[in-house]
Structures are given as C-alpha cells and as structure tokens.
Amino acid sequence: MHGHRHQIPEDVLRQFRKEVFDEGILREGDSIGTDDDTLLRFLRARKFDLKLAKKMLRDCQDWRKTVEGYGIDKLYRQIDPFDYPERQAVFECWPMWFHKRGRPLNIHQLGNLDLPRLFKTCTPERHWQSVLVNCESLTREILPAASRGAERTIGTVFVIVDLKGFGIQQFWQMKSLARRSFQVSQDYYPETMGQLAIVNAPASFTAIWAAIRPWLSKETAEKVDILGSDYREVLLDLIDAENLPRISSRSDGNSTSSNSSPSTTSTAPPSQSSTSSNPKYVVAHHMVGNTYTYAIRDWAEDITHAHGAGIDGFALNMGRDDWQSAKVADAYEAARQSGLDFKLFISFDMASFPCGSPQDAGTLRNIARTYLNHQNQLRLANRAVISTFAGESCTFGQDSPASGWRTQFVRHPDLNGQIYFIPAFFIDPNKFGEFQDVMNGDFHWNSGWPTKLTTPFVVSLANTLPGAPTSLIGSLQQNKAATASNNNLLASTLDRFIYVSDQHLYVRRWESLIASRDQVDIVQVITWNDYGESHYIGPIKGVQPNSQAWVDGMDHTAWLDLTSYYATAFKTGSYPPIKTDQLYMWSRTHPAQAQASDDPVGHPENFEISSDSVWVVVMITTPATKTKTFNVNAGVTRLSIPIAPGGIMHGAITRGNDTIVELRPKDFVFNGSPSRYNYNAFVAGARAQNK
C-alpha cells in the first residue's frame, strides 16, 4: 500500500536520493520538497527505474523554474490559491470533504460549466495560473496538512467529477484546458491522484472518454472509475455518509456546502466598478487610548518611524475619554510640524462612544469638523476621510442604523458633502446596499485574519485544512479598503482567544493585497500599538492596557522594517529592488500544547491549531545560503523551521565563506515549561551593514 516504507525498496530510494543530489537535480531547500515521500512519487511513476525517474524529476525541476515565464515559486507568491480576487468565480464548485482513509476529496461539478462567462470575470491566462497554483498547493500544503491530521503519510487526493447536465458542447469548451491539466498533473505532480470517480456519466460520455483516454498514462487510466447515476453505494465504501455530498442536488449550480477556504470575501455591489483610479495609501491603526503619556514629541517619533517604513498616515482610533481629544490634537500638530505630508484621519471607536441619541451624533460631528480642513487630513475625492471601529448597530435615536448614520452624521448639514465615510461595520457585505447613501467604502477589519479557522472548524474537517488562508476586501462604490495583520491575541478572562497568524500570514496578506491592488485603495495595518491584542508593529511605548505580561520583551518593530518593502510595492505596482540583505524571524516562546504551571486564565481558544515553528523571511540581493542550510535565490524567500523545547532562534546569510547577516537574539529560548501562557510573537530582524 502506498506510503508504507517497509514495502519500498530502500536501496533504490537511497541510490535515487544520492544520484539526484550528486547530479544537481535536487538541492536542499528546493520548494518541490526533498523528503522521501516526494522522491517516492517520481520513483513510483517510473516503476522504480532510476534513469527514467531522474529524467522525470529533472524535467519537472526545469518546468518549475520556467513555467509562465518566471517559475512556479514566483507564481505561488503572486497568487495565493486560497485567496485571490477571482477565486469565487473560478471555484464555485470546489468544496472539500474527507475520505475515510484520510485523503482530501475534491469534487468538480461540470454540469453548469460556462467558460465564456467565467472568462468575463477571469482571463484565460489568469484562470490557467490559478489551476497551476492549486496543483502546487496540493503537494506544498494540502497533503502535508492531511498527513499531520491523520498522523501518517497521506500522499494522494480522491477526485470526483460529477457530469450531470454535462454534454459534448461543454466538453469542447474545456477540451484544451482538460488536456493541459492532465499533462501537468501526470508529468509534474505524479502519483498525487489516488483515485478518480466519474459519476452521473451521460450517454454521450462514450465519445468524450474516447477523446480523453489517449491523454492518460496507463497508470492514470487504471485509477479511473466510471459510474452512472447509481454511484452512492460505491462511494460509501470510501466516504463517510455525512461527508458524501448530495451531488445530484447540486447540479443546478447552487452550492449547499461551504467553500474549502475558510476566508470570507466581500465584493462590490454589481453596479460598482471593480477598479479604481484613486491614489494608493498605506496607513496604520493607532490606538489613541494607549497614548495617555504622549506629548507632541512622542507623536513626532511615531510619525517619523512610520513614514520611514513607507506608511503614509495613521487612522486615529479615538474613544470617549475626555483626554483623548487633546491627544488627537497633538497628533495633528506633530504631523503639521513634521513637514512630511503625513496623513491622519479619525476612526471613532464605537465600542466606546455612545450612539443612541441625536446628541451622541452631535459629539462625533463636532470632533470631525475640527479637522476637516487640516493640511494633514487624509482626503479622497476632495473630502475628509472619516472611519469607525464598529457602529453598525448605532441608531442615534432614528428607526435604523442606516437612517441614524445618514441623517445624524453623513448627510447632516454640519458634514454633508464634506466627508468620505469608510467605517469598519461588522455586517454581511450583502447588507451594504442598506447603507448605499451612507458609506463610501468599508474597512473590512477581520479580513486580516482567517477568522473562521478555529479549532472546532478544523476538527470538523478532520484537522486537514492547510494553514493561514487569508481573506480579501470589503468594498463599496469606488473606494476599497483592506487590513493587513500580524499576530492577534486577546488574553483576559472575558476575551480569551487567538486568531491564526502562522504560515507567514503578515507577508502572505501583503502579497495578496499587492496582487489585488487594482481593487484596493487603502491598506490599513492592524495595528501600530494595540498591545492589548498583541497586534502591533510600532515600538512599545505609552501606556499599556495591563498587557505587560505578554508584551514586554516582545518587540515587533522588525515587522515594521519588513513593511517598507511591501508598502512600496502596493503603492507603485512593482516590487522594489532589494539593495540590502535582510533576515527576519519570528516564533512563539513556548509550544502550542505547553502546560503552564501557574496561569489562572488557561489556554486561549484555538491554541491547538498553532504551529511550533520559526517563520523566516529572507530578502537578499544575490543568491546565498541560509543556516540550516538552504540555497536561496535573489529576492524574497519564505522558510519555516520546526522548533522544539530548548530551541533557539539563529539564522545567517552566507556567500562562500563570508557571513553577510547573522541573527541570534539572545533573549529568545523556546520554553517547554512556561509558568504563564503567551501566544504573542517574538520577532527579530537583522540586515547587512552597507560598507
């Protein structure tokens, strides 16, 4: 049976490994993988003939370096298979269930296939690229995750193709696409399809199969089972009843199951354009509530620091405390004095401000009016940007939230025609239409994290979902906004949970937004200084909200340094050249499953799905090696390294015998027996000293 090492000719595997490394076909750190299971896929595909298996692997490596003109690694960085703008259109029929033997199960329903309609949303080139990155995600993320969940090697996927309603006309639409897909799967991802079941095969399938069969290798064809409409009994031998989709009931194209990605995608109303000519901005969410001790010089330091990292402004999260008005005034004055054209706008924290009466709205209007014409006020469409955190339930004494915000704030004579309102309302995007004459955009706060990826969700999918898919943007009219996040922890007896932030989430989120920049006007980094929730990229200063236990000593400014590269790419549309070698690493300080000896609060919710890894980003000017040892090309490389109790964080970039950058933070040790839990991230960075 595949995957059981005792049935594998160990001497052949050892010899194959030696030869592919000696001949330079494979190198440590290659993204294709260097583990035994990867090598065995190529050996099995060529019946353990070393010469043929080497040729197959060499051809695959050549393809990986050149596909689409720049290689699969760059393509995979540009298109996140779990989060890209056209994904909903491409994968309307891409649910995932799980096989009794632990294999992921892909189901394709082709009855409503309409490629011409799809290509109005997604170009044929972009669609093909999405096919390629999804093939890559299978071996890079999905199968390894399935193996971890099953606690044994899972090397193949079970595919079901439902042909109810499918005919010759649709086959001719997809003939070329199907042939290319089979070729890529067989030649470059061999032995990953364990079984293919074709159900609801129509009478015309005899002709269709006659066209398809010559494309398939003998080994692939032997894995195909062609079933009619009486398929259920056969599939129940392989799939638990509760996981067997009601295939026939979904042939009308209306999915009854959730998408395989736990991300949420918010799209603009049909009447709105999907592109924008607005300028691009990167802002950071600044918690005024943590600035009680700030003077103008403190704001000036933050502004200078943020501006140097490519951040254009701050969203000033302001609460109801009387003293916060003075701090906001100091921020605007510091921005004016800086001469940096650094932008500010108020984000009313509606979890703090009351909003039940017209008088409550008057308080907000008076604050907003103070800065409408300030030289550092962020403006879009020649109007002052105003935002909120929450507020979707505020009525200000009117009969509905939409009416309240419309009559008492946005359209009130004090502000009418003067503000560009982009709140962070926590509502279903389908309800944006209720606020169509209120909102000019939406800051989709929770799009920064895969918020649906919780322990119960993962358990329900047999612990096999790949890590850290990310969500897109909330949008309305011509302004679209999104959030980029790093690590989130709410640790108190009332709010005690974590959002998953592993799998290089901060970097991957940036890459997703840059790829979608035509649909996004403002990226808001969450946050500059929200220490209470452990998401901050600014220095630790001001007054903490009793968060010292998990914040002190956990500096995140290396993420701020990293931000500059991605902020530039978002605003200009091109990744800037890397002029200095840089190395960034982050990790928690104890295992996810650690048992603290003296923590009265206990584990936060969802701690089980955190990963014990050091996450690494390498940015280099020319090819080099990094300690553990990986060969890395010029540009940006993401790596992850498992860590165990007693482990330290140590990395180096070397060329030849020269060490260019070395990073070894002395304060970091992975503690297997902590006294208190801390799921915050320890972040460190180093860069070469230019001579």
Side-chain angles (χ1 to χ4, degrees), residues 225-282:
D225 292 317
I226 301 173
L227 308 174
S229 58
D230 189 16
Y231 57 84
R232 186 174 179 85
E233 183 176 346
V234 176
L235 294 185
L236 282 174
D237 287 337
L238 300 170
I239 305 167
D240 289 320
E242 63 269 25
N243 288 332
L244 180 64
R246 293 181 296 164
I247 294 174
S248 60
S249 68
R250 297 181 67 243
S251 61
D252 61 357
N254 296 318
S255 174
T256 61
S257 302
S258 63
N259 196 284
S260 62
S261 169
S263 62
T264 55
T265 302
S266 306
T267 57
S271 61
Q272 305 302 329
S273 171
S274 62
T275 60
S276 171
S277 59
N278 285 336
K280 307 297 183 185
Y281 293 100
V282 174

Short mmCIF file of all heavy atoms in Angstrom, two decimals, residues 225-282:
data_model
loop_
_atom_site.label_atom_id
_atom_site.label_comp_id
_atom_site.label_asym_id
_atom_site.label_seq_id
_atom_site.Cartn_x
_atom_site.Cartn_y
_atom_site.Cartn_z
N ASP A 225 -12.65 5.30 -12.27
CA ASP A 225 -13.87 4.50 -12.19
C ASP A 225 -15.00 5.32 -12.79
O ASP A 225 -15.28 6.44 -12.35
CB ASP A 225 -14.22 4.17 -10.73
CG ASP A 225 -13.22 3.21 -10.11
OD1 ASP A 225 -12.84 2.25 -10.79
OD2 ASP A 225 -12.83 3.44 -8.95
N ILE A 226 -15.67 4.77 -13.81
CA ILE A 226 -16.77 5.47 -14.47
C ILE A 226 -18.07 4.89 -13.94
O ILE A 226 -18.37 3.71 -14.13
CB ILE A 226 -16.67 5.33 -16.00
CG1 ILE A 226 -15.34 5.89 -16.49
CG2 ILE A 226 -17.84 6.05 -16.66
CD1 ILE A 226 -15.08 5.64 -17.96
N LEU A 227 -18.85 5.73 -13.26
CA LEU A 227 -20.09 5.30 -12.64
C LEU A 227 -21.26 6.05 -13.27
O LEU A 227 -21.11 7.17 -13.77
CB LEU A 227 -20.06 5.58 -11.14
CG LEU A 227 -18.84 5.04 -10.37
CD1 LEU A 227 -18.88 5.51 -8.93
CD2 LEU A 227 -18.80 3.52 -10.44
N GLY A 228 -22.40 5.46 -13.24
CA GLY A 228 -23.60 6.14 -13.74
C GLY A 228 -24.23 6.95 -12.62
O GLY A 228 -23.55 7.56 -11.80
N SER A 229 -25.56 6.93 -12.57
CA SER A 229 -26.26 7.68 -11.53
C SER A 229 -26.37 6.88 -10.24
O SER A 229 -26.67 7.44 -9.18
CB SER A 229 -27.66 8.07 -12.02
OG SER A 229 -28.40 6.90 -12.38
N ASP A 230 -26.11 5.57 -10.29
CA ASP A 230 -26.20 4.73 -9.11
C ASP A 230 -24.81 4.59 -8.49
O ASP A 230 -24.22 3.51 -8.44
CB ASP A 230 -26.77 3.36 -9.48
CG ASP A 230 -27.09 2.52 -8.25
OD1 ASP A 230 -27.17 3.10 -7.14
OD2 ASP A 230 -27.24 1.31 -8.40
N TYR A 231 -24.27 5.71 -8.02
CA TYR A 231 -22.89 5.74 -7.55
C TYR A 231 -22.78 5.71 -6.03
O TYR A 231 -21.71 5.45 -5.48
CB TYR A 231 -22.22 7.03 -8.04
CG TYR A 231 -22.94 8.27 -7.59
CD1 TYR A 231 -22.71 8.82 -6.33
CD2 TYR A 231 -23.90 8.88 -8.40
CE1 TYR A 231 -23.41 9.93 -5.90
CE2 TYR A 231 -24.58 10.00 -7.97
CZ TYR A 231 -24.34 10.52 -6.72
OH TYR A 231 -25.03 11.62 -6.29
N ARG A 232 -23.87 5.98 -5.34
CA ARG A 232 -23.80 6.24 -3.91
C ARG A 232 -23.23 5.04 -3.13
O ARG A 232 -22.36 5.20 -2.27
CB ARG A 232 -25.18 6.61 -3.37
CG ARG A 232 -25.17 7.04 -1.91
CD ARG A 232 -26.54 7.53 -1.47
NE ARG A 232 -26.52 7.91 -0.07
CZ ARG A 232 -26.14 9.09 0.38
NH1 ARG A 232 -25.74 10.01 -0.47
NH2 ARG A 232 -26.15 9.36 1.67
N GLU A 233 -23.70 3.84 -3.45
CA GLU A 233 -23.25 2.66 -2.71
C GLU A 233 -21.75 2.44 -2.88
O GLU A 233 -21.05 2.09 -1.93
CB GLU A 233 -24.02 1.43 -3.19
CG GLU A 233 -23.67 0.16 -2.42
CD GLU A 233 -24.53 -1.02 -2.85
OE1 GLU A 233 -25.55 -0.80 -3.53
OE2 GLU A 233 -24.17 -2.15 -2.50
N VAL A 234 -21.26 2.70 -4.10
CA VAL A 234 -19.82 2.53 -4.35
C VAL A 234 -19.01 3.54 -3.53
O VAL A 234 -18.02 3.20 -2.88
CB VAL A 234 -19.52 2.69 -5.85
CG1 VAL A 234 -18.01 2.61 -6.10
CG2 VAL A 234 -20.25 1.62 -6.65
N LEU A 235 -19.46 4.80 -3.54
CA LEU A 235 -18.70 5.84 -2.86
C LEU A 235 -18.76 5.70 -1.35
O LEU A 235 -17.83 6.10 -0.64
CB LEU A 235 -19.21 7.22 -3.27
CG LEU A 235 -18.98 7.61 -4.74
CD1 LEU A 235 -19.43 9.04 -4.98
CD2 LEU A 235 -17.53 7.43 -5.13
N LEU A 236 -19.85 5.12 -0.82
CA LEU A 236 -19.95 4.96 0.63
C LEU A 236 -18.91 3.98 1.17
O LEU A 236 -18.65 3.95 2.38
CB LEU A 236 -21.35 4.51 1.03
CG LEU A 236 -22.41 5.62 1.04
CD1 LEU A 236 -23.79 5.04 1.29
CD2 LEU A 236 -22.07 6.67 2.09
N ASP A 237 -18.33 3.17 0.29
CA ASP A 237 -17.23 2.32 0.74
C ASP A 237 -15.99 3.13 1.03
O ASP A 237 -15.06 2.67 1.71
CB ASP A 237 -16.90 1.27 -0.33
CG ASP A 237 -17.96 0.18 -0.41
OD1 ASP A 237 -18.68 -0.02 0.59
OD2 ASP A 237 -18.05 -0.46 -1.47
N LEU A 238 -15.95 4.35 0.48
CA LEU A 238 -14.75 5.18 0.59
C LEU A 238 -14.97 6.45 1.40
O LEU A 238 -14.00 7.02 1.91
CB LEU A 238 -14.26 5.57 -0.81
CG LEU A 238 -13.89 4.40 -1.73
CD1 LEU A 238 -13.68 4.90 -3.14
CD2 LEU A 238 -12.64 3.70 -1.21
N ILE A 239 -16.22 6.90 1.50
CA ILE A 239 -16.50 8.19 2.13
C ILE A 239 -17.58 8.00 3.17
O ILE A 239 -18.59 7.34 2.92
CB ILE A 239 -16.98 9.22 1.07
CG1 ILE A 239 -15.96 9.34 -0.07
CG2 ILE A 239 -17.20 10.58 1.71
CD1 ILE A 239 -16.50 10.08 -1.26
N ASP A 240 -17.38 8.58 4.36
CA ASP A 240 -18.42 8.53 5.38
C ASP A 240 -19.68 9.20 4.86
O ASP A 240 -19.63 10.20 4.14
CB ASP A 240 -17.94 9.22 6.65
CG ASP A 240 -16.85 8.43 7.36
OD1 ASP A 240 -16.97 7.19 7.41
OD2 ASP A 240 -15.90 9.06 7.85
N ALA A 241 -20.83 8.68 5.27
CA ALA A 241 -22.10 9.17 4.76
C ALA A 241 -22.27 10.67 4.99
O ALA A 241 -22.76 11.40 4.13
CB ALA A 241 -23.26 8.40 5.40
N GLU A 242 -21.85 11.16 6.19
CA GLU A 242 -22.05 12.58 6.47
C GLU A 242 -21.13 13.46 5.64
O GLU A 242 -21.35 14.67 5.52
CB GLU A 242 -21.82 12.87 7.96
CG GLU A 242 -20.41 12.60 8.47
CD GLU A 242 -20.25 11.19 9.00
OE1 GLU A 242 -21.03 10.32 8.56
OE2 GLU A 242 -19.37 10.97 9.85
N ASN A 243 -20.08 12.87 5.06
CA ASN A 243 -19.17 13.64 4.22
C ASN A 243 -19.43 13.44 2.73
O ASN A 243 -18.77 14.05 1.90
CB ASN A 243 -17.71 13.26 4.52
CG ASN A 243 -17.27 13.78 5.87
OD1 ASN A 243 -17.77 14.79 6.34
ND2 ASN A 243 -16.33 13.08 6.49
N LEU A 244 -20.38 12.57 2.40
CA LEU A 244 -20.70 12.35 1.00
C LEU A 244 -21.64 13.45 0.54
O LEU A 244 -22.76 13.57 1.02
CB LEU A 244 -21.38 10.99 0.81
CG LEU A 244 -21.77 10.65 -0.64
CD1 LEU A 244 -20.53 10.55 -1.52
CD2 LEU A 244 -22.56 9.36 -0.69
N PRO A 245 -21.20 14.31 -0.35
CA PRO A 245 -22.05 15.41 -0.78
C PRO A 245 -23.24 14.91 -1.58
O PRO A 245 -23.18 13.88 -2.23
CB PRO A 245 -21.12 16.24 -1.67
CG PRO A 245 -20.13 15.25 -2.18
CD PRO A 245 -19.93 14.26 -1.07
N ARG A 246 -24.33 15.67 -1.49
CA ARG A 246 -25.51 15.33 -2.29
C ARG A 246 -25.27 15.84 -3.70
O ARG A 246 -25.79 16.88 -4.11
CB ARG A 246 -26.75 15.95 -1.67
CG ARG A 246 -27.10 15.33 -0.31
CD ARG A 246 -28.35 15.97 0.26
NE ARG A 246 -28.13 17.37 0.53
CZ ARG A 246 -29.12 18.24 0.74
NH1 ARG A 246 -30.37 17.85 0.68
NH2 ARG A 246 -28.85 19.50 1.00
N ILE A 247 -24.50 15.09 -4.44
CA ILE A 247 -24.02 15.58 -5.73
C ILE A 247 -25.17 15.93 -6.65
O ILE A 247 -25.21 17.00 -7.24
CB ILE A 247 -23.10 14.53 -6.38
CG1 ILE A 247 -21.83 14.38 -5.53
CG2 ILE A 247 -22.74 14.93 -7.80
CD1 ILE A 247 -20.92 13.28 -6.00
N SER A 248 -26.14 15.04 -6.78
CA SER A 248 -27.20 15.29 -7.75
C SER A 248 -28.01 16.52 -7.40
O SER A 248 -28.52 17.21 -8.28
CB SER A 248 -28.12 14.07 -7.83
OG SER A 248 -28.71 13.81 -6.57
N SER A 249 -28.12 16.86 -6.10
CA SER A 249 -28.92 18.02 -5.72
C SER A 249 -28.21 19.31 -5.99
O SER A 249 -28.80 20.37 -5.91
CB SER A 249 -29.27 17.96 -4.22
OG SER A 249 -28.11 18.14 -3.44
N ARG A 250 -26.92 19.24 -6.34
CA ARG A 250 -26.16 20.46 -6.56
C ARG A 250 -25.87 20.69 -8.03
O ARG A 250 -25.13 21.58 -8.39
CB ARG A 250 -24.83 20.41 -5.79
CG ARG A 250 -25.02 20.33 -4.31
CD ARG A 250 -23.69 20.30 -3.58
NE ARG A 250 -23.00 21.56 -3.73
CZ ARG A 250 -21.84 21.70 -4.35
NH1 ARG A 250 -21.27 20.67 -4.90
NH2 ARG A 250 -21.25 22.87 -4.44
N SER A 251 -26.46 19.90 -8.90
CA SER A 251 -26.14 20.05 -10.31
C SER A 251 -26.73 21.30 -10.92
O SER A 251 -26.40 21.67 -12.03
CB SER A 251 -26.64 18.82 -11.09
OG SER A 251 -28.05 18.71 -10.96
N ASP A 252 -27.61 22.00 -10.16
CA ASP A 252 -28.14 23.26 -10.67
C ASP A 252 -27.19 24.41 -10.42
O ASP A 252 -27.49 25.55 -10.74
CB ASP A 252 -29.50 23.56 -10.04
CG ASP A 252 -29.41 23.70 -8.53
OD1 ASP A 252 -28.32 23.51 -7.96
OD2 ASP A 252 -30.45 24.00 -7.92
N GLY A 253 -26.04 24.11 -9.82
CA GLY A 253 -25.03 25.13 -9.61
C GLY A 253 -25.16 25.87 -8.31
O GLY A 253 -24.34 26.71 -8.00
N ASN A 254 -26.19 25.59 -7.51
CA ASN A 254 -26.35 26.27 -6.23
C ASN A 254 -25.74 25.43 -5.14
O ASN A 254 -26.29 24.42 -4.73
CB ASN A 254 -27.84 26.51 -5.94
CG ASN A 254 -28.46 27.43 -6.96
OD1 ASN A 254 -27.84 28.41 -7.35
ND2 ASN A 254 -29.66 27.10 -7.41
N SER A 255 -24.60 25.84 -4.65
CA SER A 255 -23.87 25.04 -3.67
C SER A 255 -24.59 25.02 -2.34
O SER A 255 -25.07 26.03 -1.86
CB SER A 255 -22.46 25.62 -3.49
OG SER A 255 -21.79 24.95 -2.47
N THR A 256 -24.64 23.84 -1.72
CA THR A 256 -25.20 23.72 -0.39
C THR A 256 -24.11 23.52 0.64
O THR A 256 -24.38 23.30 1.80
CB THR A 256 -26.16 22.52 -0.32
OG1 THR A 256 -25.42 21.33 -0.62
CG2 THR A 256 -27.30 22.66 -1.29
N SER A 257 -22.86 23.57 0.20
CA SER A 257 -21.75 23.32 1.11
C SER A 257 -20.83 24.52 1.12
O SER A 257 -20.79 25.31 0.20
CB SER A 257 -20.96 22.09 0.66
OG SER A 257 -21.79 20.97 0.61
N SER A 258 -20.07 24.64 2.20
CA SER A 258 -19.14 25.75 2.31
C SER A 258 -17.95 25.54 1.42
O SER A 258 -17.58 24.43 1.09
CB SER A 258 -18.67 25.90 3.77
OG SER A 258 -17.97 24.75 4.16
N ASN A 259 -17.32 26.65 1.04
CA ASN A 259 -16.11 26.58 0.25
C ASN A 259 -14.99 26.00 1.07
O ASN A 259 -14.98 26.10 2.29
CB ASN A 259 -15.75 28.01 -0.21
CG ASN A 259 -14.75 28.02 -1.32
OD1 ASN A 259 -13.58 27.80 -1.08
ND2 ASN A 259 -15.21 28.28 -2.53
N SER A 260 -14.00 25.40 0.42
CA SER A 260 -12.91 24.77 1.16
C SER A 260 -12.07 25.78 1.90
O SER A 260 -11.40 25.45 2.85
CB SER A 260 -12.03 23.96 0.21
OG SER A 260 -11.44 24.80 -0.74
N SER A 261 -12.03 27.01 1.45
CA SER A 261 -11.28 28.03 2.16
C SER A 261 -12.15 28.68 3.21
O SER A 261 -13.28 29.04 2.96
CB SER A 261 -10.81 29.12 1.18
OG SER A 261 -10.31 30.21 1.88
N PRO A 262 -11.63 28.85 4.45
CA PRO A 262 -12.44 29.48 5.48
C PRO A 262 -12.42 30.99 5.41
O PRO A 262 -12.88 31.65 6.32
CB PRO A 262 -11.77 28.98 6.77
CG PRO A 262 -10.34 28.82 6.40
CD PRO A 262 -10.35 28.36 4.96
N SER A 263 -11.87 31.56 4.37
CA SER A 263 -11.84 33.01 4.27
C SER A 263 -13.20 33.54 3.87
O SER A 263 -14.04 32.84 3.34
CB SER A 263 -10.80 33.43 3.24
OG SER A 263 -11.14 32.94 1.97
N THR A 264 -13.41 34.83 4.13
CA THR A 264 -14.64 35.49 3.71
C THR A 264 -14.28 36.53 2.68
O THR A 264 -13.35 37.30 2.85
CB THR A 264 -15.34 36.16 4.89
OG1 THR A 264 -14.44 37.06 5.52
CG2 THR A 264 -15.80 35.13 5.90
N THR A 265 -15.01 36.57 1.59
CA THR A 265 -14.74 37.50 0.52
C THR A 265 -15.91 38.46 0.38
O THR A 265 -17.04 38.03 0.24
CB THR A 265 -14.52 36.76 -0.81
OG1 THR A 265 -13.44 35.85 -0.64
CG2 THR A 265 -14.21 37.73 -1.92
N SER A 266 -15.61 39.74 0.42
CA SER A 266 -16.64 40.75 0.25
C SER A 266 -16.44 41.41 -1.09
O SER A 266 -15.34 41.82 -1.43
CB SER A 266 -16.52 41.80 1.36
OG SER A 266 -16.54 41.19 2.62
N THR A 267 -17.48 41.53 -1.87
CA THR A 267 -17.35 42.08 -3.20
C THR A 267 -18.20 43.33 -3.34
O THR A 267 -19.14 43.55 -2.60
CB THR A 267 -17.80 41.06 -4.26
OG1 THR A 267 -19.14 40.68 -3.97
CG2 THR A 267 -16.92 39.83 -4.22
N ALA A 268 -17.83 44.16 -4.31
CA ALA A 268 -18.58 45.38 -4.54
C ALA A 268 -19.96 45.06 -5.09
O ALA A 268 -20.16 44.04 -5.73
CB ALA A 268 -17.82 46.26 -5.54
N PRO A 269 -20.95 45.93 -4.86
CA PRO A 269 -22.26 45.74 -5.48
C PRO A 269 -22.11 45.69 -6.99
O PRO A 269 -21.19 46.27 -7.56
CB PRO A 269 -23.03 46.99 -5.03
CG PRO A 269 -22.32 47.46 -3.80
CD PRO A 269 -20.89 47.11 -4.01
N PRO A 270 -23.02 44.98 -7.69
CA PRO A 270 -22.88 44.81 -9.14
C PRO A 270 -22.76 46.12 -9.89
O PRO A 270 -22.13 46.17 -10.94
CB PRO A 270 -24.16 44.05 -9.52
CG PRO A 270 -24.58 43.36 -8.26
CD PRO A 270 -24.17 44.26 -7.15
N SER A 271 -23.34 47.20 -9.37
CA SER A 271 -23.33 48.45 -10.11
C SER A 271 -22.01 49.18 -10.00
O SER A 271 -21.79 50.18 -10.66
CB SER A 271 -24.44 49.37 -9.58
OG SER A 271 -24.23 49.65 -8.21
N GLN A 272 -21.10 48.68 -9.13
CA GLN A 272 -19.86 49.40 -8.90
C GLN A 272 -18.74 48.84 -9.75
O GLN A 272 -18.68 47.67 -10.07
CB GLN A 272 -19.47 49.33 -7.41
CG GLN A 272 -20.57 49.81 -6.47
CD GLN A 272 -20.99 51.22 -6.76
OE1 GLN A 272 -20.19 52.03 -7.20
NE2 GLN A 272 -22.25 51.54 -6.53
N SER A 273 -17.80 49.70 -10.08
CA SER A 273 -16.63 49.29 -10.85
C SER A 273 -15.71 48.47 -9.98
O SER A 273 -15.61 48.67 -8.79
CB SER A 273 -15.89 50.53 -11.37
OG SER A 273 -14.66 50.17 -11.93
N SER A 274 -14.99 47.53 -10.59
CA SER A 274 -14.05 46.69 -9.84
C SER A 274 -12.65 47.27 -9.84
O SER A 274 -11.74 46.68 -9.30
CB SER A 274 -14.01 45.28 -10.44
OG SER A 274 -13.55 45.34 -11.77
N THR A 275 -12.45 48.40 -10.48
CA THR A 275 -11.14 49.04 -10.47
C THR A 275 -11.29 50.46 -9.99
O THR A 275 -12.38 51.01 -9.91
CB THR A 275 -10.51 49.03 -11.88
OG1 THR A 275 -11.37 49.76 -12.76
CG2 THR A 275 -10.34 47.62 -12.39
N SER A 276 -10.17 51.10 -9.66
CA SER A 276 -10.22 52.44 -9.12
C SER A 276 -9.02 53.24 -9.58
O SER A 276 -7.93 52.71 -9.71
CB SER A 276 -10.25 52.38 -7.59
OG SER A 276 -10.09 53.66 -7.04
N SER A 277 -9.23 54.52 -9.82
CA SER A 277 -8.13 55.41 -10.18
C SER A 277 -7.67 56.22 -8.98
O SER A 277 -6.85 57.12 -9.12
CB SER A 277 -8.58 56.35 -11.30
OG SER A 277 -9.70 57.12 -10.88
N ASN A 278 -8.22 55.94 -7.78
CA ASN A 278 -7.80 56.67 -6.60
C ASN A 278 -6.34 56.41 -6.29
O ASN A 278 -5.81 55.34 -6.60
CB ASN A 278 -8.65 56.25 -5.39
CG ASN A 278 -10.05 56.83 -5.43
OD1 ASN A 278 -10.28 57.84 -6.07
ND2 ASN A 278 -10.97 56.17 -4.76
N PRO A 279 -5.66 57.36 -5.65
CA PRO A 279 -4.28 57.11 -5.22
C PRO A 279 -4.25 56.00 -4.17
O PRO A 279 -5.25 55.72 -3.51
CB PRO A 279 -3.85 58.45 -4.63
CG PRO A 279 -5.13 59.14 -4.25
CD PRO A 279 -6.13 58.71 -5.27
N LYS A 280 -3.08 55.37 -4.03
CA LYS A 280 -2.91 54.28 -3.07
C LYS A 280 -2.28 54.80 -1.79
O LYS A 280 -1.32 55.58 -1.84
CB LYS A 280 -2.03 53.18 -3.67
CG LYS A 280 -2.49 52.66 -5.03
CD LYS A 280 -3.85 52.01 -4.97
CE LYS A 280 -4.24 51.45 -6.33
NZ LYS A 280 -5.61 50.92 -6.34
N TYR A 281 -2.80 54.34 -0.66
CA TYR A 281 -2.26 54.72 0.64
C TYR A 281 -2.06 53.49 1.51
O TYR A 281 -2.83 52.52 1.43
CB TYR A 281 -3.20 55.68 1.37
CG TYR A 281 -3.36 57.04 0.73
CD1 TYR A 281 -4.47 57.33 -0.05
CD2 TYR A 281 -2.40 58.04 0.92
CE1 TYR A 281 -4.63 58.58 -0.63
CE2 TYR A 281 -2.55 59.29 0.34
CZ TYR A 281 -3.68 59.56 -0.44
OH TYR A 281 -3.82 60.79 -1.01
N VAL A 282 -1.04 53.56 2.35
CA VAL A 282 -0.86 52.58 3.42
C VAL A 282 -0.92 53.34 4.73
O VAL A 282 -0.17 54.31 4.94
CB VAL A 282 0.49 51.85 3.30
CG1 VAL A 282 0.72 50.95 4.51
CG2 VAL A 282 0.54 51.04 2.01
#
